[in-house]
Amino acid sequence: MSSSTFYSSLNEQLAGLLSGERDWLANTANASALLFMELEDINWAGFYFLHGDELRLGPFQGKPACTRIPVGTGVCGTAVATGESQLVEDVHQFPGHIACDAVSASEVVIPLYDGERCLGVLDIDSPSVARFAAEDLAGLQEFARVLLDATDLSGA
Protein backbone atom coordinates (compact mmCIF):
# COMPACT_ATOMS: atom_id res chain seq x y z
CA MET A 1 0.00 0.00 0.00
CA SER A 2 1.36 3.42 -0.90
CA SER A 3 1.94 6.07 1.78
CA SER A 4 -0.80 8.29 0.37
CA THR A 5 -3.31 5.41 0.38
CA PHE A 6 -2.29 4.43 3.92
CA TYR A 7 -2.68 7.96 5.29
CA SER A 8 -5.93 8.53 3.42
CA SER A 9 -7.32 5.40 5.09
CA LEU A 10 -5.86 6.34 8.49
CA ASN A 11 -7.39 9.81 8.31
CA GLU A 12 -10.78 8.38 7.30
CA GLN A 13 -10.57 6.04 10.31
CA LEU A 14 -9.81 9.02 12.55
CA ALA A 15 -12.72 11.04 11.17
CA GLY A 16 -15.08 8.12 11.83
CA LEU A 17 -13.67 7.56 15.31
CA LEU A 18 -14.17 11.23 16.24
CA SER A 19 -17.57 11.64 14.61
CA GLY A 20 -20.03 13.17 17.07
CA GLU A 21 -17.41 13.72 19.80
CA ARG A 22 -15.78 17.11 20.47
CA ASP A 23 -14.12 16.41 23.85
CA TRP A 24 -10.36 17.04 23.68
CA LEU A 25 -9.39 14.32 26.14
CA ALA A 26 -11.47 11.57 24.52
CA ASN A 27 -10.39 12.55 21.01
CA THR A 28 -6.67 12.88 21.68
CA ALA A 29 -6.70 9.60 23.63
CA ASN A 30 -8.35 7.79 20.73
CA ALA A 31 -6.12 9.54 18.18
CA SER A 32 -2.95 8.41 19.97
CA ALA A 33 -4.30 4.86 20.27
CA LEU A 34 -5.14 4.79 16.55
CA LEU A 35 -1.65 5.98 15.61
CA PHE A 36 0.02 3.45 17.91
CA MET A 37 -2.13 0.65 16.51
CA GLU A 38 -1.75 1.52 12.81
CA LEU A 39 1.74 2.99 12.35
CA GLU A 40 4.53 0.47 11.96
CA ASP A 41 7.87 0.76 13.73
CA ILE A 42 6.96 3.37 16.33
CA ASN A 43 7.45 3.28 20.09
CA TRP A 44 5.52 6.39 21.19
CA ALA A 45 2.59 8.43 19.89
CA GLY A 46 0.86 11.19 21.77
CA PHE A 47 0.28 14.80 22.61
CA TYR A 48 1.76 17.62 24.63
CA PHE A 49 -0.33 20.72 25.36
CA LEU A 50 0.99 24.24 25.78
CA HIS A 51 0.57 25.87 29.19
CA GLY A 52 2.43 29.16 29.44
CA ASP A 53 6.04 28.55 28.47
CA GLU A 54 6.00 24.78 28.73
CA LEU A 55 4.42 21.75 27.12
CA ARG A 56 2.60 19.34 29.43
CA LEU A 57 2.05 15.68 28.72
CA GLY A 58 -1.34 14.71 27.31
CA PRO A 59 -2.81 11.39 26.18
CA PHE A 60 -0.29 8.98 24.65
CA GLN A 61 0.57 5.38 23.89
CA GLY A 62 4.00 3.99 24.73
CA LYS A 63 6.43 4.02 27.63
CA PRO A 64 6.09 6.65 30.38
CA ALA A 65 7.16 10.06 29.10
CA CYS A 66 8.58 13.39 30.16
CA THR A 67 5.76 15.34 31.78
CA ARG A 68 6.96 18.89 31.05
CA ILE A 69 9.05 20.29 28.22
CA PRO A 70 10.11 23.95 28.08
CA VAL A 71 9.27 25.78 24.85
CA GLY A 72 12.41 25.89 22.71
CA THR A 73 13.87 22.70 24.22
CA GLY A 74 14.04 19.36 22.43
CA VAL A 75 12.16 18.48 19.27
CA CYS A 76 8.71 19.23 20.72
CA GLY A 77 9.73 22.55 22.24
CA THR A 78 11.46 23.53 19.00
CA ALA A 79 8.28 22.81 17.01
CA VAL A 80 6.38 25.23 19.26
CA ALA A 81 9.12 27.88 19.26
CA THR A 82 9.44 27.86 15.45
CA GLY A 83 5.80 27.10 14.63
CA GLU A 84 7.03 24.46 12.20
CA SER A 85 6.74 20.69 12.04
CA GLN A 86 9.93 18.83 12.84
CA LEU A 87 11.05 15.74 10.92
CA VAL A 88 14.17 14.42 12.65
CA GLU A 89 15.97 11.47 11.09
CA ASP A 90 18.35 10.95 14.03
CA VAL A 91 17.31 12.47 17.35
CA HIS A 92 20.78 11.87 18.78
CA GLN A 93 22.07 14.51 16.34
CA PHE A 94 19.36 17.04 17.27
CA PRO A 95 20.75 19.82 19.50
CA GLY A 96 19.08 19.71 22.92
CA HIS A 97 17.18 16.47 22.28
CA ILE A 98 15.36 15.24 25.39
CA ALA A 99 15.69 11.47 25.73
CA CYS A 100 12.41 10.48 27.37
CA ASP A 101 12.99 6.99 25.93
CA ALA A 102 16.61 6.14 25.10
CA VAL A 103 15.37 3.67 22.45
CA SER A 104 13.88 6.46 20.29
CA ALA A 105 16.00 7.20 17.22
CA SER A 106 13.79 9.35 14.98
CA GLU A 107 10.85 11.65 15.59
CA VAL A 108 8.17 13.68 13.89
CA VAL A 109 6.43 16.55 15.71
CA ILE A 110 3.51 18.58 14.38
CA PRO A 111 2.39 21.79 16.12
CA LEU A 112 -1.36 22.06 16.68
CA TYR A 113 -2.84 25.48 15.98
CA ASP A 114 -6.19 27.15 16.53
CA GLY A 115 -5.80 30.08 14.15
CA GLU A 116 -2.63 31.85 15.29
CA ARG A 117 -2.57 30.22 18.76
CA CYS A 118 -0.43 27.14 19.32
CA LEU A 119 -2.27 24.60 21.48
CA GLY A 120 0.41 21.93 21.65
CA VAL A 121 2.00 19.21 19.53
CA LEU A 122 1.46 15.75 18.13
CA ASP A 123 4.65 13.75 18.76
CA ILE A 124 5.58 10.36 17.30
CA ASP A 125 8.83 8.49 17.99
CA SER A 126 10.45 5.47 16.34
CA PRO A 127 13.29 3.21 17.44
CA SER A 128 14.62 3.29 13.84
CA VAL A 129 16.80 6.04 12.38
CA ALA A 130 15.11 7.83 9.46
CA ARG A 131 11.77 6.05 10.04
CA PHE A 132 9.77 9.09 8.90
CA ALA A 133 9.79 10.55 5.39
CA ALA A 134 8.17 13.61 3.82
CA GLU A 135 5.13 11.46 2.93
CA ASP A 136 4.68 10.56 6.61
CA LEU A 137 4.92 14.21 7.59
CA ALA A 138 2.27 15.21 5.04
CA GLY A 139 -0.05 12.38 6.10
CA LEU A 140 0.37 13.19 9.80
CA GLN A 141 -0.19 16.90 9.21
CA GLU A 142 -3.51 15.96 7.60
CA PHE A 143 -4.21 13.65 10.58
CA ALA A 144 -3.68 16.65 12.87
CA ARG A 145 -6.01 18.79 10.74
CA VAL A 146 -8.76 16.13 10.94
CA LEU A 147 -8.31 16.03 14.72
CA LEU A 148 -8.37 19.82 15.07
CA ASP A 149 -11.48 20.14 12.89
CA ALA A 150 -13.36 17.60 15.02
CA THR A 151 -12.18 18.60 18.49
CA ASP A 152 -12.65 21.45 20.94
CA LEU A 153 -9.14 21.78 22.33
CA SER A 154 -9.88 24.95 24.31
CA GLY A 155 -9.89 23.00 27.59
CA ALA A 156 -6.66 21.13 26.94
Side-chain angles (χ1 to χ4, degrees):
M1 176 184 308
S2 72
S3 288
S4 62
T5 302
F6 171 78
Y7 282 107
S8 178
S9 174
L10 181 70
N11 293 332
E12 286 177 20
Q13 288 180 67
L14 179 65
L17 189 61
L18 305 182
S19 180
E21 181 59 67
R22 303 254 329 134
D23 182 76
W24 73 271
L25 184 58
N27 285 355
T28 55
N30 272 334
S32 62
L34 180 63
L35 288 169
F36 201 73
M37 182 177 77
E38 294 294 334
L39 288 176
E40 294 182 3
D41 195 25
I42 67 167
N43 59 317
W44 202 92
F47 298 88
Y48 283 91
F49 292 103
L50 188 60
H51 293 270
D53 60 354
E54 69 180 7
L55 290 162
R56 293 186 194 159
L57 182 63
F60 71 93
Q61 298 282 310
K63 291 182 180 179
C66 302
T67 56
R68 295 171 189 258
I69 299 173
V71 170
T73 303
V75 181
C76 290
T78 298
V80 173
T82 63
E84 297 177 359
S85 295
Q86 303 291 307
L87 181 62
V88 181
E89 290 187 353
D90 184 350
V91 295
H92 304 291
Q93 302 303 315
F94 190 90
H97 173 253
I98 302 167
C100 295
D101 180 354
V103 174
S104 293
S106 61
E107 187 169 2
V108 61
V109 178
I110 296 151
L112 305 172
Y113 277 89
D114 179 17
E116 297 294 314
R117 186 172 72 101
C118 184
L119 305 170
V121 299
L122 167 60
D123 179 23
I124 305 169
D125 294 0
S126 170
S128 298
V129 172
R131 156 60 180 90
F132 304 104
E135 296 83 12
D136 296 296
L137 178 60
L140 292 166
Q141 287 172 326
E142 179 63 15
F143 185 93
R145 189 198 60 74
V146 170
L147 175 68
L148 288 166
D149 286 350
T151 305
D152 177 8
L153 289 172
S154 63

